[in-house]
Structures are given as structure tokens and as C-alpha cells.
Amino acid sequence: MKAFLILEDGTVFEGKSIGTTRDMISEIVFNTSMTGYLEVLTDPSYAGQAVVMTYPLIGNYGITPDMESKKAWPDGYIVRELSRMPSNFRCNGTIQDFLVAQDIPGIEGVDTRALTKILREKGTMNGMITTNENYNLDEIIPKLKAYTVGDVVSKVTCDEKHVLPGEKFKVALMDFGAKNNISKSLIQRGCEVTVYPADTKAEEIIKSNPDGIMLSNGPGDPETCVSIIEEIRKLSETDIPIFAICLGHQLMALAYGAKTYKLKYGHRGGNHPVKDLSTGRVYISSQNHGYAVDYNTMDKNVAEEAFINVNDGTNEGLNYIGKKIYTVQFHPEACPGPQDSTFLFDRFIEMMKGDK
């Protein structure tokens, strides 16, 4: 069946329908990872977005147990070519069947290189995937321009508090759309992880007397999370060690008066270089974000810049002065990798040991 990807600037790509055939409107973003497509599909940070995979062949090892959450989150999926005959000893299904089961519409046969160049040159824009060959651009374009991602953190967070057993340290994980590998990385280091819904009050977490607090990744515009930011400020005023990733990094900065801004086309992929300003060493990182912290708006007496993106100089991490708080924009829990920065979890463990 034919399918069409229509961008808000009027550009139309024709391809073949994959997944379900319902119409979809979403923000179109691209990911440059060469592998890990299942982790991308199950990353809650993609809620409210449709993902373009720049690598030309997707699905060649099928669906494996490597899911970062219980379901898929992107609104749509856009690929150059979808593998119909996956081969892997862990394979238990195809991408096509997975998309149908998850009710995700998609399109293949698109020139993803040309599409990505448009998004890089003009910036991230909204788009529609449709199988209607009689589409009307005059009707569709206004709908695309009116689309906003909205409040997606409330959609991806857990419904209720739950505990993942461990032995050494008690960690409170604020779930703004947390990937499974965050809790796994903590459990591997001997932590008992209590996962809290995003709207949990600071008082409840402080009362539980955790050894450390983890602020997770998540989707959407961080400045819309007003009530969450207020609770994070309360958490930061305690002496409890805090480690924050991605959205958590942005929310902590906002709690201390800094500003965030939308990147032209975001950082999404497994090959982004970040520089540790304390050592000069560069690490390859996994990233998935469309917003960044404007370090120029941060009070320099509050936090010092810890990491920057080598490609564009944007902020990638902060150390809070006089506090046991550090935050990073990239993903040290990256799965399937790279694993250059997993040491940041060890640093968090050392911070908690200091309180014992």
C-alpha cells in the first residue's frame, strides 16, 4: 500500500506503508544510530515524535528482548528499507509485526538522506504519515503547523511507586520517562531502586530517606514541567546526592533559574562526542534530546559547566557548587552503547558512600 510523508513546508515523500494505516501527525526527528532500533522504538523520550532512522536498513536482526520500556512510544516510524527476513538467534519477531502490534503507522522507501538534509537545513518540523492518496495539502498544512507535542511526561511516567530489589544503597528514581537501563545500571552496582511517578511530591521522597536521588530522561519541552521543577528544587535543597540525566539535567537547571532552548534539529544518535572540561578527555555518547540548557543564563556561583558537545559547543553537563549534585545531557546508561561514560554511575555510588 502506498503511503505519504507530508512535511509542514509542503514537501511530500512517497513510499510504502508499514505498521498500521491510520493517519498520524507528529514532530519529525531523525536518529543517526546504526543499531539499537528497538531501543529507539521503546525509549519514552520519543513520545510525541515520529522517528526517521538515517541508517538505510532497519530490522535485520528483528525484535529481540532488548526493550527500554514495556511498549513503543514514537507516533510514527520512517525508514529507507525495512528488513523482511531478520536473522538473529535471539529474534522473536519482525519490525513490521511489532509496529502493527504497537499501533504505530510508518513508511518505508523514503529517501531518508534527503529528508534528513531538509530537517538539518530547515530545522525540526511537523509532518503527517497517511495512506490517503487523495490528500489535500491546503487542509493538511494548517493542521501540521498547529500541532504541539504538549504534556507527554504524564503519559510516559509509571502509574505507581514500585521497588526494584538491591542490597547496598537506596536510590529514589524519579520517572519522567526512564529507560530500563538506568535502573539496571544502578541495580548492577548494588542499589535498591524505588521508582516514583513524575508527580510525586518532594516531601514523600525525602521522608523515605534515600541514599541518593536519580532524575531520569524524558520527552517534551522541559519548561512545561512547572510543578515538577518546583519539587526538584526542594529535593536539591537537601543534602541527598542527586544524579540527573537528559530531561532531569534540564529540569535541575531550570530549578536554579537557568533557561532552556529548542535546538534546530536536536541530538539523537549513538555517536555524539562530549568533552569533559575537567580533564579535556572526549567521550562518545548516546543522545536523544531536542532541547538544551543555556549555560549563559546559569548563575556561575550555582553551577559550573562540566561537559560540552564537541560538535556545536552546547552544554552537556553541570556540577553544582557546594552541593552533591551533578547532571548530564547525554546517556551514560546507553544501551546498546557506547559505554564510554558508564563511570558516571560509579561516581554516583561514591557520592552515596560518602554519606554512609
Side-chain angles (χ1 to χ4, degrees):
M1 180 183 295
K2 285 184 179 180
F4 304 89
L5 170 64
I6 304 168
L7 301 180
E8 66 178 271
D9 69 348
T11 303
V12 178
F13 290 88
E14 181 178 331
K16 296 179 181 178
S17 174
I18 56 175
T20 54
T21 57
R22 62 181 176 84
D23 287 353
M24 177 232 71
I25 293 178
S26 190
E27 184 178 61
I28 311 298
V29 301
F30 64 88
N31 184 296
T32 59
S33 296
M34 297 175 68
T35 186
Y37 52 78
L38 183 58
E39 289 86 345
V40 169
L41 279 167
T42 55
D43 183 347
S45 293
Y46 281 113
Q49 298 174 327
V51 184
V52 181
M53 300 300 294
T54 63
Y55 190 70
L57 179 62
I58 297 297
N60 58 329
Y61 54 87
I63 297 299
T64 61
D66 307 310
M67 294 176 64
E68 282 298 307
S69 63
K70 294 181 180 179
K71 59 168 285 186
W73 291 103
D75 291 334
Y77 204 52
I78 303 157
V79 300
R80 179 72 181 94
E81 181 182 352
L82 198 68
S83 174
R84 304 288 177 175
M85 299 178 64
S87 177
N88 185 279
F89 74 100
R90 300 168 72 237
C91 173
N92 54 29
T94 67
I95 284 275
Q96 170 68 9
D97 291 341
F98 182 77
L99 294 175
V100 171
Q102 297 287 323
D103 191 28
I104 297 177
I107 183 171
E108 75 161 327
V110 168
D111 185 344
T112 50
R113 182 180 178 87
L115 173 56
T116 301
K117 288 178 70 175
I118 291 172
L119 297 177
R120 285 178 62 91
E121 291 166 4
K122 296 185 177 182
T124 296
M125 62 181 81
N126 297 332
M128 169 185 271
I129 296 176
T130 182
T131 56
N132 179 10
E133 296 186 37
N134 299 313
Y135 61 83
N136 186 326
L137 281 181
D138 292 334
E139 294 179 359
I140 292 172
I141 300 301
K143 294 179 181 178
L144 297 183
K145 292 184 176 180
Y147 173 82
T148 57
V149 173
D151 174 21
V152 277
V153 170
S154 62
K155 295 179 182 178
V156 301
T157 190
C158 59
D159 294 327
E160 57 186 8
K161 180 180 76 172
H162 57 280
V163 180
L164 304 172
E167 299 175 356
K168 296 180 182 178
F169 302 99
K170 291 172 58 180
V171 175
L173 170 59
M174 294 299 297
D175 179 12
F176 306 133
K179 294 168 61 182
N180 286 342
N181 210 41
I182 292 178
S183 54
K184 286 180 182 177
S185 297
L186 292 168
I187 292 169
Q188 287 170 358
R189 290 164 172 81
C191 298
E192 175 191 275
V193 180
T194 303
V195 185
Y196 289 89
D199 60 357
T200 304
K201 297 299 182 183
E203 289 78 9
E204 179 181 345
I205 296 169
I206 295 168
K207 188 177 179 180
S208 70
N209 195 30
D211 297 310
I213 299 171
M214 186 96 214
L215 307 182
S216 83
N217 63 292
D221 181 349
E223 291 188 355
T224 64
C225 301
V226 177
S227 59
I228 295 174
I229 293 168
E230 292 176 1
E231 301 306 313
I232 287 176
R233 180 63 190 242
K234 295 175 187 176
L235 293 174
S236 72
E237 290 171 348
T238 69
D239 199 39
I240 304 170
I242 300 177
F243 178 26
I245 292 172
C246 198
L247 179 62
H249 157 76
Q250 298 164 0
L251 296 177
M252 181 63 75
L254 289 167
Y256 277 88
K259 301 293 184 183
T260 56
Y261 62 97
K262 190 169 185 176
L263 295 167
K264 184 176 180 180
Y265 48 80
H267 299 157
R268 299 175 180 89
N271 57 350
H272 290 264
V274 294
K275 184 177 182 179
D276 185 337
L277 297 181
S278 65
T279 64
R281 183 172 179 177
V282 173
Y283 300 97
I284 301 302
S285 69
S286 174
Q287 301 198 13
N288 175 17
H289 62 104
Y291 292 82
V293 173
D294 183 355
Y295 182 62
N296 293 325
T297 64
M298 172 66 78
D299 184 342
K300 305 307 182 288
N301 294 315
V302 169
E304 60 182 5
E305 197 163 37
F307 295 91
I308 61 169
N309 189 293
V310 176
N311 290 333
D312 59 15
T314 53
N315 177 260
E316 292 283 358
L318 295 168
N319 284 328
Y320 285 76
I321 299 169
K323 292 183 174 290
K324 300 171 185 175
I325 302 173
Y326 69 98
T327 68
V328 294
Q329 182 63 76
F330 51 95
H331 288 267
E333 87 294 348
C335 185
Q339 300 179 347
D340 293 26
S341 54
T342 55
F343 69 88
L344 292 171
F345 283 98
D346 299 322
R347 183 186 296 178
F348 184 44
I349 300 298
E350 290 302 315
M351 287 173 61
M352 291 189 287
K353 282 182 180 178
D355 285 356
K356 288 290 189 180

